[in-house]
Amino acid sequence: MKKLLCMLLMGTMTLSLAGCGGSKDDAGAGETGSSSGAESSSEAGSSEEGGSEEIATAQEGKLIMATNAEFPPYEFYEGDEIVGIDAEIAAAVAEELGLELQIEDMAFDAIITAVTSGKADIGAAGMTVTPDREENVSFTDTYAEASQVVIVPEGSEIASPDDLAGKKIGVQLGTTGDIYSADVEDATVERYNKGFEAVQSLQSGKIDAVVIDEQPAKVFVEQNEGLEILPDKFTEEEYAIACAKDNTALVEKINGALESLRESGELDEIVSKYIAADSDSAE
Ligand code: ARG
């Protein structure tokens, strides 16, 4: 049911985006001598000679992705390689766009700045679409449903998100878990650079609960004994890729790529590689 609504929403977003111009003729030798001059906002169907539809990116030929690789199964290290759902989606999108993906790992709260400053082209980090963030970046269509959940020690007196009032809540700095926990009555929010540091702190009894995204929560609870996830979710959210605010061309290209990955089934394949079907809350 929710999936359907989501798809409808995405459809609307795609339609409204399609309305913002950007003719799709990538024919023609796109030999414009200006490879440096960030050819930003080509407003409504630019009639530039040659009609080169090349996307201006931070570094020519590359798609630079800012992420925080402490967030399994979306992005995490396997040896020295960053893998995960976002890494693979971004690689597939880059391929569709004819660009080479380069992943830059950083603190989660540095990602939006990396994108707005033009150091990175995209932020892909299990990033929830929020109105505040939308003031600084443009999000692509959403590619995943998500939620914040509450992790507690087994047998905790905290049995639902309502019981968080007055408690010590651990979160990853700058995440929606951080933002929304700050609204909990009389609660103290302990901010950690990494989600799993919050979980370790919970395990050693320094805090009462951790509010974090559902999928990493499952991974962390599996890796740490004596913890459980409350059945009632704290929030419902959606993930999307963040692009620079004026970069409509890139948003449209990525939306197109996401759409074809969705249609070909590749998107589902990537997700099911990292999230077991039975643990996926496929309502
Ligand atoms: N979904 C949450 C948010 O957007 C948390 C994302 C954390 N991602 C990460 N790669 N550490 O705020």
Side-chain angles (χ1 to χ4, degrees):
M1 195 59 185
K2 228 168 57 198
K3 283 244 160 76
L4 184 71
L5 209 153
C6 179
M7 282 171 78
L8 281 172
L9 268 172
M10 283 186 212
T12 325
M13 286 171 78
T14 315
L15 277 177
S16 54
L17 278 167
C20 319
S23 57
K24 203 191 163 196
D25 64 329
D26 24 355
E31 273 267 273
T32 45
S34 62
S35 50
S36 60
E39 208 196 318
S40 55
S41 59
S42 51
E43 311 279 286
S46 77
S47 50
E48 296 249 305
E49 295 254 325
S52 155
E53 285 290 321
E54 261 183 37
I55 321 153
T57 54
Q59 283 179 35
E60 216 183 320
K62 286 189 180 172
L63 185 70
I64 300 181
M65 157 179 162
T67 196
N68 169 249
E70 304 289 346
F71 198 71
Y74 285 91
E75 43 268 334
F76 58 102
Y77 280 92
E78 215 169 70
D80 338 308
E81 205 195 339
I82 295 172
V83 298
I85 296 172
D86 288 332
E88 291 206 23
I89 290 178
V93 164
E95 199 184 325
E96 294 262 341
L97 270 50
L99 298 167
E100 185 200 326
L101 181 69
Q102 180 178 318
I103 303 180
E104 300 287 347
D105 188 18
M106 59 190 73
F108 181 75
D109 70 338
I111 296 173
I112 293 213
T113 317
V115 172
T116 55
S117 70
K119 266 200 273 175
D121 301 301
I122 60 170
M127 191 179 281
T128 303
V129 178
T130 72
D132 277 353
R133 289 175 182 163
E134 278 178 314
E135 287 186 8
N136 299 306
V137 291
S138 293
F139 282 103
T140 63
D141 292 343
T142 59
Y143 62 88
E145 287 176 54
S147 48
Q148 297 296 307
V149 295
V150 182
I151 309 178
V152 293
E154 279 168 5
S156 163
E157 58 173 32
I158 301 172
S160 93
D162 294 339
D163 301 333
L164 286 171
K167 301 291 186 200
K168 261 194 186 167
I169 308 172
V171 298
Q172 184 182 16
L173 178 72
T175 59
T176 45
D178 180 357
I179 296 161
Y180 300 133
S181 293
D183 293 338
V184 176
E185 219 189 314
D186 297 328
T188 313
V189 181
E190 299 282 345
R191 300 177 171 89
Y192 298 84
N193 287 322
K194 304 174 180 183
F196 84 83
E197 289 172 354
V199 173
Q200 282 175 334
S201 196
L202 177 65
Q203 210 182 20
S204 59
K206 289 192 199 126
I207 53 176
D208 302 308
V210 168
V211 171
I212 194 167
D213 300 54
E214 181 176 32
Q215 295 304 332
K218 285 182 175 167
V219 175
F220 294 146
V221 164
E222 215 164 87
Q223 291 169 348
N224 292 272
E225 297 235 318
L227 302 178
E228 64 184 9
I229 297 172
L230 296 184
D232 290 344
K233 292 173 181 167
F234 193 57
T235 60
E236 301 283 350
E237 317 184 337
E238 285 186 321
Y239 294 162
I241 297 171
C243 301
K245 188 124 184 127
D246 54 0
N247 206 341
T248 317
L250 183 60
V251 170
E252 282 180 11
K253 292 267 182 189
I254 294 177
N255 283 341
L258 285 174
E259 187 55 37
S260 49
L261 294 172
R262 199 172 281 126
E263 272 165 17
S264 70
E266 195 176 335
L267 197 65
D268 281 346
E269 248 167 60
I270 293 171
V271 172
S272 54
K273 204 168 133 185
Y274 291 95
I275 300 177
D278 59 346
S279 72
D280 184 11
S281 44
E283 285 107 300

